Amino acid sequence: KFDDTPVDTPPDNTGDGGDKIEEEEIIDFYDTEPSFPGGAPAMAAFIQSKVVYPELSREMDEQGTVYVQFVVNTNGTIQDAVILKGISDLLDKEALRVVKLMPPWSPGEQAGKKVRVRYVIPINFRIQ
């Protein structure tokens, strides 16, 4: 049988409705928490270096914290990023964009086995 799938098209791992790379159960409670490479300080530095504050949001004095939920897969990739609590369309979209840029994490573990974990992070938007 002929497979007409283009070989140069990578799978969509951005969590925005494309191909799912994993379908195993998602864990909310785990023995070992997933972690960003270098830990929380490295994640804060990554977010700070990647966020581009939308100009319209600055002009409208939009500030606050966007809470982004996503799944950390067993291979550390990020999937299914969604806004749990947002501020505005522009800031919410920027928070999602930055999360989708993240490098692979160290995956979570349950009973010594790597598992998919649902995770939430806050991204703070403050006009300086």
Side-chain angles (χ1 to χ4, degrees):
K1 182 176 174 186
F2 178 70
D3 181 6
D4 62 354
T5 305
V7 293
D8 59 345
T9 304
D12 178 359
N13 298 334
T14 61
D16 58 3
D19 296 336
K20 301 294 183 218
I21 62 168
E22 297 194 36
E23 292 298 333
E24 296 171 17
E25 180 183 7
I26 298 169
I27 305 293
D28 290 301
F29 303 100
Y30 35 78
D31 295 334
T32 305
E33 183 175 24
S35 61
F36 186 88
M43 181 170 59
F46 175 87
I47 291 170
Q48 185 175 4
S49 73
K50 299 296 183 189
V51 165
V52 177
Y53 215 116
E55 193 56 41
L56 184 58
S57 294
R58 280 185 191 278
E59 292 171 10
M60 296 177 67
D61 198 32
E62 293 177 338
Q63 301 185 75
T65 303
V66 176
Y67 291 88
V68 183
Q69 175 182 281
F70 52 89
V71 174
V72 179
N73 288 309
T74 57
N75 64 0
T77 58
I78 302 296
Q79 179 180 325
D80 299 338
V82 295
I83 301 298
L84 282 187
K85 181 176 182 288
I87 299 169
S88 70
D89 283 347
L90 288 173
L91 292 179
D92 295 356
K93 285 178 184 175
E94 180 59 11
L96 281 174
R97 185 189 72 81
V98 170
V99 165
K100 291 175 182 181
L101 291 174
M102 288 184 170
W105 289 42
S106 295
E109 292 186 13
Q110 181 72 24
K113 179 182 178 239
K114 291 179 181 176
V115 291
R116 298 176 73 213
V117 173
R118 188 173 291 115
Y119 203 80
V120 177
I121 62 168
I123 297 181
N124 297 309
F125 288 91
R126 300 281 179 263
I127 297 173
Q128 300 295 325

mmCIF file of all heavy atoms in Angstrom, residues 30-66:
data_model
loop_
_atom_site.group_PDB
_atom_site.id
_atom_site.type_symbol
_atom_site.label_atom_id
_atom_site.label_comp_id
_atom_site.label_asym_id
_atom_site.label_seq_id
_atom_site.Cartn_x
_atom_site.Cartn_y
_atom_site.Cartn_z
ATOM 1 N N TYR A 30 2.261 12.774 41.208
ATOM 2 C CA TYR A 30 3.435 12.025 40.774
ATOM 3 C C TYR A 30 4.450 11.967 41.898
ATOM 4 O O TYR A 30 4.390 12.735 42.852
ATOM 5 C CB TYR A 30 4.055 12.705 39.545
ATOM 6 C CG TYR A 30 3.924 14.213 39.606
ATOM 7 C CD1 TYR A 30 4.775 14.974 40.401
ATOM 8 C CD2 TYR A 30 2.909 14.873 38.935
ATOM 9 C CE1 TYR A 30 4.628 16.344 40.505
ATOM 10 C CE2 TYR A 30 2.761 16.244 39.034
ATOM 11 C CZ TYR A 30 3.630 16.980 39.818
ATOM 12 O OH TYR A 30 3.482 18.334 39.933
ATOM 13 N N ASP A 31 5.395 11.028 41.751
ATOM 14 C CA ASP A 31 6.468 10.910 42.739
ATOM 15 C C ASP A 31 7.551 11.949 42.483
ATOM 16 O O ASP A 31 8.055 12.577 43.404
ATOM 17 C CB ASP A 31 7.097 9.509 42.683
ATOM 18 C CG ASP A 31 6.118 8.413 43.086
ATOM 19 O OD1 ASP A 31 5.173 8.708 43.841
ATOM 20 O OD2 ASP A 31 6.307 7.273 42.644
ATOM 21 N N THR A 32 7.927 12.106 41.216
ATOM 22 C CA THR A 32 8.966 13.058 40.829
ATOM 23 C C THR A 32 8.367 14.068 39.864
ATOM 24 O O THR A 32 7.821 13.705 38.822
ATOM 25 C CB THR A 32 10.159 12.340 40.151
ATOM 26 O OG1 THR A 32 10.639 11.330 41.026
ATOM 27 C CG2 THR A 32 11.266 13.318 39.823
ATOM 28 N N GLU A 33 8.470 15.338 40.237
ATOM 29 C CA GLU A 33 7.927 16.421 39.432
ATOM 30 C C GLU A 33 8.746 16.626 38.156
ATOM 31 O O GLU A 33 9.971 16.520 38.185
ATOM 32 C CB GLU A 33 7.985 17.693 40.293
ATOM 33 C CG GLU A 33 7.395 18.908 39.672
ATOM 34 C CD GLU A 33 7.388 20.083 40.654
ATOM 35 O OE1 GLU A 33 8.185 20.114 41.597
ATOM 36 O OE2 GLU A 33 6.570 20.973 40.436
ATOM 37 N N PRO A 34 8.093 16.934 37.028
ATOM 38 C CA PRO A 34 8.869 17.285 35.842
ATOM 39 C C PRO A 34 9.620 18.587 36.107
ATOM 40 O O PRO A 34 9.193 19.386 36.940
ATOM 41 C CB PRO A 34 7.812 17.472 34.749
ATOM 42 C CG PRO A 34 6.501 17.556 35.434
ATOM 43 C CD PRO A 34 6.656 17.012 36.808
ATOM 44 N N SER A 35 10.736 18.778 35.420
ATOM 45 C CA SER A 35 11.495 20.008 35.663
ATOM 46 C C SER A 35 12.091 20.565 34.383
ATOM 47 O O SER A 35 12.514 19.831 33.497
ATOM 48 C CB SER A 35 12.588 19.763 36.707
ATOM 49 O OG SER A 35 13.492 18.784 36.249
ATOM 50 N N PHE A 36 12.116 21.885 34.336
ATOM 51 C CA PHE A 36 12.743 22.618 33.241
ATOM 52 C C PHE A 36 14.250 22.421 33.350
ATOM 53 O O PHE A 36 14.781 22.364 34.466
ATOM 54 C CB PHE A 36 12.384 24.106 33.380
ATOM 55 C CG PHE A 36 12.843 24.953 32.238
ATOM 56 C CD1 PHE A 36 12.048 25.116 31.115
ATOM 57 C CD2 PHE A 36 14.061 25.607 32.285
ATOM 58 C CE1 PHE A 36 12.464 25.915 30.062
ATOM 59 C CE2 PHE A 36 14.491 26.401 31.231
ATOM 60 C CZ PHE A 36 13.683 26.557 30.109
ATOM 61 N N PRO A 37 14.968 22.313 32.226
ATOM 62 C CA PRO A 37 16.428 22.143 32.303
ATOM 63 C C PRO A 37 17.077 23.295 33.072
ATOM 64 O O PRO A 37 16.892 24.445 32.710
ATOM 65 C CB PRO A 37 16.889 22.147 30.847
ATOM 66 C CG PRO A 37 15.665 22.052 30.015
ATOM 67 C CD PRO A 37 14.481 22.389 30.867
ATOM 68 N N GLY A 38 17.758 22.985 34.150
ATOM 69 C CA GLY A 38 18.393 24.018 34.965
ATOM 70 C C GLY A 38 17.526 24.495 36.119
ATOM 71 O O GLY A 38 17.939 25.344 36.893
ATOM 72 N N GLY A 39 16.296 23.965 36.204
ATOM 73 C CA GLY A 39 15.426 24.284 37.328
ATOM 74 C C GLY A 39 14.638 25.579 37.164
ATOM 75 O O GLY A 39 14.625 26.203 36.103
ATOM 76 N N ALA A 40 13.986 25.976 38.249
ATOM 77 C CA ALA A 40 13.108 27.146 38.243
ATOM 78 C C ALA A 40 13.828 28.439 37.855
ATOM 79 O O ALA A 40 13.289 29.232 37.084
ATOM 80 C CB ALA A 40 12.419 27.291 39.594
ATOM 81 N N PRO A 41 15.064 28.690 38.366
ATOM 82 C CA PRO A 41 15.747 29.929 37.966
ATOM 83 C C PRO A 41 16.012 29.989 36.459
ATOM 84 O O PRO A 41 15.862 31.039 35.836
ATOM 85 C CB PRO A 41 17.060 29.898 38.749
ATOM 86 C CG PRO A 41 16.798 28.993 39.915
ATOM 87 C CD PRO A 41 15.817 27.970 39.406
ATOM 88 N N ALA A 42 16.369 28.845 35.873
ATOM 89 C CA ALA A 42 16.617 28.801 34.428
ATOM 90 C C ALA A 42 15.317 29.025 33.655
ATOM 91 O O ALA A 42 15.319 29.687 32.615
ATOM 92 C CB ALA A 42 17.251 27.470 34.039
ATOM 93 N N MET A 43 14.204 28.486 34.167
ATOM 94 C CA MET A 43 12.919 28.689 33.497
ATOM 95 C C MET A 43 12.527 30.167 33.561
ATOM 96 O O MET A 43 12.067 30.730 32.561
ATOM 97 C CB MET A 43 11.823 27.828 34.114
ATOM 98 C CG MET A 43 10.489 28.016 33.397
ATOM 99 S SD MET A 43 9.194 26.844 33.860
ATOM 100 C CE MET A 43 9.048 27.124 35.607
ATOM 101 N N ALA A 44 12.709 30.796 34.705
ATOM 102 C CA ALA A 44 12.391 32.220 34.834
ATOM 103 C C ALA A 44 13.227 33.055 33.863
ATOM 104 O O ALA A 44 12.712 33.961 33.205
ATOM 105 C CB ALA A 44 12.607 32.687 36.272
ATOM 106 N N ALA A 45 14.510 32.728 33.750
ATOM 107 C CA ALA A 45 15.393 33.452 32.832
ATOM 108 C C ALA A 45 14.967 33.210 31.381
ATOM 109 O O ALA A 45 14.972 34.144 30.560
ATOM 110 C CB ALA A 45 16.840 33.023 33.040
ATOM 111 N N PHE A 46 14.589 31.978 31.056
ATOM 112 C CA PHE A 46 14.132 31.645 29.704
ATOM 113 C C PHE A 46 12.896 32.473 29.356
ATOM 114 O O PHE A 46 12.829 33.107 28.300
ATOM 115 C CB PHE A 46 13.817 30.150 29.605
ATOM 116 C CG PHE A 46 13.226 29.745 28.285
ATOM 117 C CD1 PHE A 46 14.049 29.413 27.222
ATOM 118 C CD2 PHE A 46 11.852 29.715 28.101
ATOM 119 C CE1 PHE A 46 13.506 29.047 25.990
ATOM 120 C CE2 PHE A 46 11.300 29.353 26.883
ATOM 121 C CZ PHE A 46 12.133 29.022 25.827
ATOM 122 N N ILE A 47 11.915 32.458 30.248
ATOM 123 C CA ILE A 47 10.667 33.197 30.005
ATOM 124 C C ILE A 47 10.956 34.681 29.832
ATOM 125 O O ILE A 47 10.485 35.313 28.889
ATOM 126 C CB ILE A 47 9.648 32.942 31.137
ATOM 127 C CG1 ILE A 47 9.166 31.483 31.074
ATOM 128 C CG2 ILE A 47 8.472 33.910 31.048
ATOM 129 C CD1 ILE A 47 8.357 31.042 32.279
ATOM 130 N N GLN A 48 11.765 35.232 30.735
ATOM 131 C CA GLN A 48 12.090 36.658 30.666
ATOM 132 C C GLN A 48 12.787 37.008 29.346
ATOM 133 O O GLN A 48 12.525 38.053 28.756
ATOM 134 C CB GLN A 48 12.974 37.054 31.846
ATOM 135 C CG GLN A 48 13.253 38.538 31.911
ATOM 136 C CD GLN A 48 14.039 38.916 33.152
ATOM 137 O OE1 GLN A 48 14.440 38.075 33.936
ATOM 138 N NE2 GLN A 48 14.263 40.201 33.327
ATOM 139 N N SER A 49 13.645 36.112 28.860
ATOM 140 C CA SER A 49 14.393 36.396 27.629
ATOM 141 C C SER A 49 13.529 36.248 26.376
ATOM 142 O O SER A 49 13.853 36.817 25.334
ATOM 143 C CB SER A 49 15.616 35.486 27.523
ATOM 144 O OG SER A 49 15.228 34.156 27.208
ATOM 145 N N LYS A 50 12.444 35.493 26.461
ATOM 146 C CA LYS A 50 11.618 35.216 25.275
ATOM 147 C C LYS A 50 10.357 36.064 25.173
ATOM 148 O O LYS A 50 9.822 36.252 24.079
ATOM 149 C CB LYS A 50 11.209 33.734 25.244
ATOM 150 C CG LYS A 50 12.370 32.768 25.179
ATOM 151 C CD LYS A 50 13.148 32.909 23.905
ATOM 152 C CE LYS A 50 14.265 31.875 23.850
ATOM 153 N NZ LYS A 50 15.180 32.102 22.751
ATOM 154 N N VAL A 51 9.859 36.566 26.304
ATOM 155 C CA VAL A 51 8.608 37.332 26.276
ATOM 156 C C VAL A 51 8.816 38.655 25.541
ATOM 157 O O VAL A 51 9.764 39.393 25.810
ATOM 158 C CB VAL A 51 8.078 37.594 27.703
ATOM 159 C CG1 VAL A 51 7.013 38.688 27.705
ATOM 160 C CG2 VAL A 51 7.501 36.324 28.297
ATOM 161 N N VAL A 52 7.913 38.913 24.610
ATOM 162 C CA VAL A 52 7.858 40.201 23.924
ATOM 163 C C VAL A 52 6.528 40.827 24.339
ATOM 164 O O VAL A 52 5.465 40.354 23.944
ATOM 165 C CB VAL A 52 7.926 40.035 22.393
ATOM 166 C CG1 VAL A 52 7.798 41.380 21.703
ATOM 167 C CG2 VAL A 52 9.198 39.309 21.984
ATOM 168 N N TYR A 53 6.610 41.877 25.159
ATOM 169 C CA TYR A 53 5.398 42.509 25.685
ATOM 170 C C TYR A 53 4.673 43.194 24.535
ATOM 171 O O TYR A 53 5.223 44.083 23.894
ATOM 172 C CB TYR A 53 5.780 43.545 26.749
ATOM 173 C CG TYR A 53 4.804 43.662 27.894
ATOM 174 C CD1 TYR A 53 5.176 43.330 29.176
ATOM 175 C CD2 TYR A 53 3.507 44.125 27.685
ATOM 176 C CE1 TYR A 53 4.300 43.447 30.239
ATOM 177 C CE2 TYR A 53 2.615 44.255 28.740
ATOM 178 C CZ TYR A 53 3.020 43.907 30.012
ATOM 179 O OH TYR A 53 2.135 44.026 31.048
ATOM 180 N N PRO A 54 3.450 42.808 24.224
ATOM 181 C CA PRO A 54 2.726 43.447 23.120
ATOM 182 C C PRO A 54 2.558 44.951 23.360
ATOM 183 O O PRO A 54 2.174 45.372 24.458
ATOM 184 C CB PRO A 54 1.372 42.732 23.116
ATOM 185 C CG PRO A 54 1.626 41.426 23.812
ATOM 186 C CD PRO A 54 2.685 41.724 24.830
ATOM 187 N N GLU A 55 2.860 45.742 22.357
ATOM 188 C CA GLU A 55 2.813 47.198 22.494
ATOM 189 C C GLU A 55 1.421 47.692 22.887
ATOM 190 O O GLU A 55 1.291 48.567 23.738
ATOM 191 C CB GLU A 55 3.275 47.871 21.196
ATOM 192 C CG GLU A 55 3.545 49.357 21.343
ATOM 193 C CD GLU A 55 4.557 49.704 22.441
ATOM 194 O OE1 GLU A 55 5.577 48.994 22.569
ATOM 195 O OE2 GLU A 55 4.311 50.676 23.190
ATOM 196 N N LEU A 56 0.393 47.125 22.287
ATOM 197 C CA LEU A 56 -0.969 47.528 22.625
ATOM 198 C C LEU A 56 -1.278 47.230 24.096
ATOM 199 O O LEU A 56 -1.944 48.013 24.778
ATOM 200 C CB LEU A 56 -1.980 46.840 21.714
ATOM 201 C CG LEU A 56 -3.440 47.250 21.888
ATOM 202 C CD1 LEU A 56 -3.620 48.760 21.680
ATOM 203 C CD2 LEU A 56 -4.325 46.472 20.921
ATOM 204 N N SER A 57 -0.761 46.113 24.610
ATOM 205 C CA SER A 57 -0.960 45.772 26.021
ATOM 206 C C SER A 57 -0.266 46.788 26.925
ATOM 207 O O SER A 57 -0.784 47.143 27.981
ATOM 208 C CB SER A 57 -0.428 44.360 26.310
ATOM 209 O OG SER A 57 -1.201 43.404 25.631
ATOM 210 N N ARG A 58 0.924 47.250 26.506
ATOM 211 C CA ARG A 58 1.614 48.312 27.260
ATOM 212 C C ARG A 58 0.777 49.582 27.293
ATOM 213 O O ARG A 58 0.592 50.195 28.339
ATOM 214 C CB ARG A 58 2.971 48.634 26.623
ATOM 215 C CG ARG A 58 4.072 47.695 26.940
ATOM 216 C CD ARG A 58 5.377 48.248 26.332
ATOM 217 N NE ARG A 58 6.413 47.260 26.384
ATOM 218 C CZ ARG A 58 7.150 47.010 27.456
ATOM 219 N NH1 ARG A 58 6.965 47.676 28.559
ATOM 220 N NH2 ARG A 58 8.074 46.077 27.421
ATOM 221 N N GLU A 59 0.292 49.978 26.097
ATOM 222 C CA GLU A 59 -0.496 51.210 25.997
ATOM 223 C C GLU A 59 -1.759 51.135 26.842
ATOM 224 O O GLU A 59 -2.198 52.144 27.394
ATOM 225 C CB GLU A 59 -0.859 51.470 24.532
ATOM 226 C CG GLU A 59 0.329 51.831 23.664
ATOM 227 C CD GLU A 59 -0.012 51.867 22.178
ATOM 228 O OE1 GLU A 59 -1.216 51.799 21.823
ATOM 229 O OE2 GLU A 59 0.938 51.948 21.378
ATOM 230 N N MET A 60 -2.337 49.933 26.950
ATOM 231 C CA MET A 60 -3.569 49.753 27.725
ATOM 232 C C MET A 60 -3.276 49.417 29.188
ATOM 233 O O MET A 60 -4.198 49.142 29.953
ATOM 234 C CB MET A 60 -4.425 48.665 27.083
ATOM 235 C CG MET A 60 -4.903 49.054 25.694
ATOM 236 S SD MET A 60 -5.847 47.762 24.888
ATOM 237 C CE MET A 60 -7.298 47.702 25.921
ATOM 238 N N ASP A 61 -1.995 49.433 29.560
ATOM 239 C CA ASP A 61 -1.560 49.155 30.930
ATOM 240 C C ASP A 61 -2.057 47.795 31.428
ATOM 241 O O ASP A 61 -2.452 47.641 32.583
ATOM 242 C CB ASP A 61 -2.013 50.273 31.874
ATOM 243 C CG ASP A 61 -1.228 50.259 33.189
ATOM 244 O OD1 ASP A 61 -0.043 49.875 33.178
ATOM 245 O OD2 ASP A 61 -1.820 50.622 34.229
ATOM 246 N N GLU A 62 -2.029 46.789 30.528
ATOM 247 C CA GLU A 62 -2.428 45.434 30.904
ATOM 248 C C GLU A 62 -1.265 44.754 31.609
ATOM 249 O O GLU A 62 -0.174 44.639 31.055
ATOM 250 C CB GLU A 62 -2.824 44.626 29.663
ATOM 251 C CG GLU A 62 -4.069 45.138 29.000
ATOM 252 C CD GLU A 62 -4.424 44.392 27.735
ATOM 253 O OE1 GLU A 62 -3.546 43.756 27.121
ATOM 254 O OE2 GLU A 62 -5.594 44.447 27.355
ATOM 255 N N GLN A 63 -1.514 44.314 32.848
ATOM 256 C CA GLN A 63 -0.502 43.635 33.650
ATOM 257 C C GLN A 63 -1.180 42.513 34.433
ATOM 258 O O GLN A 63 -2.385 42.524 34.610
ATOM 259 C CB GLN A 63 0.154 44.599 34.634
ATOM 260 C CG GLN A 63 0.844 45.781 34.005
ATOM 261 C CD GLN A 63 1.560 46.621 35.030
ATOM 262 O OE1 GLN A 63 2.605 46.225 35.517
ATOM 263 N NE2 GLN A 63 0.988 47.762 35.370
ATOM 264 N N GLY A 64 -0.364 41.595 34.910
ATOM 265 C CA GLY A 64 -0.895 40.522 35.738
ATOM 266 C C GLY A 64 -0.190 39.211 35.472
ATOM 267 O O GLY A 64 0.904 39.179 34.900
ATOM 268 N N THR A 65 -0.834 38.131 35.879
ATOM 269 C CA THR A 65 -0.253 36.801 35.756
ATOM 270 C C THR A 65 -1.156 35.924 34.902
ATOM 271 O O THR A 65 -2.356 35.835 35.145
ATOM 272 C CB THR A 65 -0.072 36.157 37.139
ATOM 273 O OG1 THR A 65 0.739 37.029 37.940
ATOM 274 C CG2 THR A 65 0.608 34.803 37.036
ATOM 275 N N VAL A 66 -0.547 35.293 33.898
ATOM 276 C CA VAL A 66 -1.241 34.319 33.050
ATOM 277 C C VAL A 66 -0.830 32.940 33.533
ATOM 278 O O VAL A 66 0.365 32.658 33.695
ATOM 279 C CB VAL A 66 -0.854 34.500 31.561
ATOM 280 C CG1 VAL A 66 -1.501 33.412 30.703
ATOM 281 C CG2 VAL A 66 -1.242 35.883 31.065
#
